[in-house]
Amino acid sequence: MGPLTLASTRTAGLLHALGRRAYFARDIARGLRDPGTWIPETIRQMQRIGVESVPLTVIVAAFLGGVTAFQTRYQLFPGVQLSVVGLIARQSIVLELGPLLTALVLTGRVGARMTAEIGTMRVTEQIDALETLAFDPVAYLATPRFIAGVVMLPTLVMLANATAIFSAWATLVLATDVRTSDFMGGLRLAFTAFQVVYSLIKATCFGAAIAFVCSYEGYVTEAGAEGVGKSTALAVVIASVSILVLDAIVAAVLAPFIQA
């Protein structure tokens, strides 16, 4: 096989994979026309994705805030105003670490669960049974998870941001020479509402990526229990990389407007 033929084969494979995912996205959108199918399941998925993830989100955010505060305080040059600690902690958490780390952690918890559930239904022919009964499996399985991911991840990110900032304040006040007035002064310095919007935009994109990738990989699972394991591992990897790529894209597009 020559280099040109090999390149053509790889290009054709890439286009085929993109096409299958495009059709899956179309089917998710088409499933919205059947609210009786996806609304009840969406409520259940919102609880499983959002409410059941609150303890993990709070734990991760608490340690994130404490570590960020310590690192910021002890990297300052002598003579620098201590209020800078509050500013750097807020910017680091709200603009980057809060959305990104929350999404990556939940990819392992929520995304792997999505893929395993749908993949198990595929290999046990439950999805085939839904199709035989003229029941739209995408509207029942993928659409609710996609909506729940888009809605609940921003909610969890806001909780993570608030928890991390509170943890940063408590750590600095209790374990360093930074006073509450210093931290609060830096926290309010150069703050704009768009910084919160920026964080929510990132969280929405991350939630959509997790739900779409993990639902798709579960839906196309093959080869029994081994296939479920492979699909789950692949889904977590692809979703994590997608989150990092989306993080870079959103930053490149919207970062210039943060201080506008």
Side-chain angles (χ1 to χ4, degrees):
M1 182 180 293
L4 184 59
T5 304
L6 181 60
S8 299
T9 302
R10 290 179 175 176
T11 301
L14 176 61
L15 293 176
H16 179 68
L18 292 175
R20 292 182 65 181
R21 286 163 174 79
Y23 277 119
F24 190 72
R26 179 206 63 184
D27 292 339
I28 290 177
R30 189 169 57 187
L32 294 173
R33 297 184 299 185
D34 188 10
T37 299
W38 60 264
I39 287 179
E41 183 65 13
T42 298
I43 296 174
R44 190 168 73 93
Q45 291 301 325
M46 290 174 70
Q47 178 182 359
R48 299 179 74 174
I49 293 173
V51 177
E52 294 180 9
S53 298
V54 167
L56 178 61
T57 301
V58 170
I59 291 172
V60 171
F63 282 98
L64 168 64
V67 171
T68 301
F70 264 127
Q71 291 286 358
T72 302
R73 172 62 190 93
Y74 291 114
Q75 294 301 319
L76 292 181
F77 294 104
V80 176
Q81 289 187 352
L82 295 181
S83 60
V84 173
V85 178
L87 171 63
I88 296 176
R90 186 201 72 208
Q91 296 291 79
S92 300
I93 292 168
V94 173
L95 300 182
E96 187 63 31
L97 297 178
L100 183 62
L101 291 185
T102 301
L104 290 174
V105 169
L106 291 183
T107 298
R109 183 197 179 278
V110 173
R113 183 175 183 174
M114 285 185 193
T115 306
E117 287 176 347
I118 299 176
T120 301
M121 294 184 67
R122 170 62 75 185
V123 300
T124 57
E125 300 182 350
Q126 296 180 53
I127 294 178
D128 296 333
L130 291 174
E131 294 173 343
T132 302
L133 296 172
F135 200 87
D136 186 357
V138 175
Y140 180 70
L141 298 173
T143 302
R145 286 169 170 79
F146 185 83
I147 296 173
V150 169
V151 172
M152 296 309 299
L153 199 67
T155 305
L156 291 172
V157 166
M158 287 297 97
L159 174 63
N161 290 344
T163 303
I165 290 174
F166 177 81
S167 174
W169 164 78
T171 301
L172 290 169
V173 171
L174 297 176
T176 72
D177 57 345
V178 178
R179 298 172 298 178
T180 297
S181 58
D182 296 325
F183 182 81
M184 292 302 175
L187 198 64
R188 291 190 294 265
L189 184 63
F191 175 76
T192 63
F194 184 73
Q195 293 171 8
V196 177
V197 175
Y198 178 87
S199 184
L200 289 175
I201 291 173
K202 277 192 174 184
T204 302
C205 294
F206 297 163
I210 294 170
F212 178 81
V213 170
C214 295
S215 296
Y216 174 79
E217 294 300 331
Y219 196 78
V220 299
T221 298
E222 298 177 352
E226 183 180 358
V228 174
K230 289 181 178 179
S231 294
T232 302
L234 182 62
V236 171
V237 171
I238 295 176
S240 299
V241 173
S242 300
I243 288 169
L244 295 175
V245 172
L246 287 171
D247 183 58
I249 292 174
V250 173
V253 174
L254 297 180
F257 303 99
I258 291 177
Q259 298 298 342

